[in-house]
Amino acid sequence: MNIAIIGTGYVGLVSGVCFAGLGFNVTCIDINEITVSSLKSGRVPIFEPGLSALMERAVTRGNLTFQSAYGAAVSNADIVFLAVGTPMKDQAGEPDLSALCKAVDALAGALRDGAVVAVKSTVPVGTNEALAARIRKLRPGLRVSIASNPEFLREGSAVADFLHAERVVCGVPDDRSKRVLTAVYQPLCESGSKLVFTSPKNAELSKYAANAFLAMKISFINEVADVCELAGGDITDVAAIIGMDNRIGPKFLEAGPGFGGSCFPKDTEAFAAAARAYGVPSALIEAVITSNNARKLKLADRIIAALGADCEGACVAVLGVAFKPDTDDVRDAPALTIIPKLQAAGIRVQAHDPEAGQAALRHLHDVVWCDTPLDAAQDADAIVVLTEWDLYRATDLKDLKSRMRGRFMFDYRNIFSAASACAIGFDYTGIGLSPQADDAVFEVLDAEAIAKRDHDALDRTCSISGQDLVEAG
Ligand code: UDX
């Protein structure tokens, strides 16, 4: 089966490489010649675990190619996936569909009769229908099916998410597109994925609704964290407890500096804009956007307040500028709001990120970039953790402290233990943790754990009494 993919960004490239990995013949098309020649020479333009090796294998096998022309690759394709970016157009939150429309216009001339086009780009409800009309206008009489196939992969685990998707959503207008989509996704079903068929509009809506819901979950737990800090609670325990209720679920309950990335900020804005346009503004999603934006500024203010009058000329070490670990993406990362705010208060920033430093150069200025977290800590008055890279978790707190001139630690991802950091001499601030929190030990016992505990206790009693007997004897 032949697959053409238009757009080699995150979604397009990962999908193309994975489909090739599953054995399909894939041509990835991008109008950016530089990107194409970089891909042709084997360079992957994004940092994504596992992607490079999978791409190399497919290219060597000969079933993955890259090009900038539409032509034959499109006319020979059994299915064409559209995966071009739909960034935010303006402050109003509406997505910019111009790249998608251009791609459709360029594609239309090359499509063969009976073609199936699947839209992977995240688009507002009704876009599929509009794109079908656009193609019909350019190629009257051509039989073409435009299906919606939103992608739910996450950066940092994109390959695994694609290959082991819980569900693959297909909004299909007819049987032909259903048949072709079933054929391309069948290999995923064999390893447990479920194919969901619905209308194109439902598919389009589900993508925005899923991302808006997850963003809401994060903002919710962040607000609970604020209350925990003042009320003497511990957000880690509270999140674990509420997450044990399977109506809530344990995922996306990690409190932090606010969500970022290429999807949640843009998709919540787009969903809110769509709701407004339909005359049913979403108070919830509008509040999520406001809460998330305010959070980043508030957390910067917390650092500025702690440094107090010494702020001007103080030095802060920022660990992590990527919006999350295992990616070099800094789009809408908390660091892009927090660092400029610190700098505006006269604070000097030394930063480290294992992958995203280069990408951050375009957005952040006057930052001293360091090769290691320890170098970043050199003479710093405060450490601020903004991305939970494993590398930081593995950093020795004593070493970190010994490089600093101050003692503040703002662990905005809760990667260190507050007790250990305080024992070393840090003035530690986590997220959702209160210095007044009761010293209760969080413990979950089930029948097996209780039996083991009783058994261990019995063992201890026996060994003590055995020893007592020996001593007494
Ligand atoms: C997201 C969706 O998860 C994915 O389904 C969609 O296709 C694209 O958008 P991604 O942006 O790659 O994926 O990252 P994700 O892991 O979802 O994290 C998004 C943001 O939320 C990050 O800034 C992350 O730090 C933050 N987050 C996530 C939290 O603050 N707490 C959490 O518990 C989870």
Side-chain angles (χ1 to χ4, degrees), residues 453-465:
R453 191 187 61 176
D454 292 349
H455 183 264
D456 290 350
L458 194 65
D459 263 6
R460 267 197 310 279
T461 318
C462 292
S463 76
I464 289 166
S465 45

Side-chain angles (χ1 to χ4, degrees), residues 149-206:
N149 178 219
E151 183 51 64
F152 295 90
L153 57 80
R154 290 161 302 170
E155 293 185 21
S157 53
V159 172
D161 283 356
F162 185 93
L163 293 173
H164 304 284
E166 282 170 326
R167 56 18 179 150
V168 176
V169 178
C170 304
V172 287
D174 51 31
D175 267 355
R176 185 175 48 207
S177 51
K178 185 173 180 182
R179 243 186 353 263
V180 176
L181 281 161
T182 306
V184 292
Y185 282 114
Q186 191 190 347
L188 299 194
C189 295
E190 276 158 23
S191 44
S193 301
K194 287 192 171 68
L195 262 185
V196 183
F197 288 101
T198 182
S199 71
K201 282 187 178 166
N202 286 343
E204 291 168 329
L205 283 165
S206 335

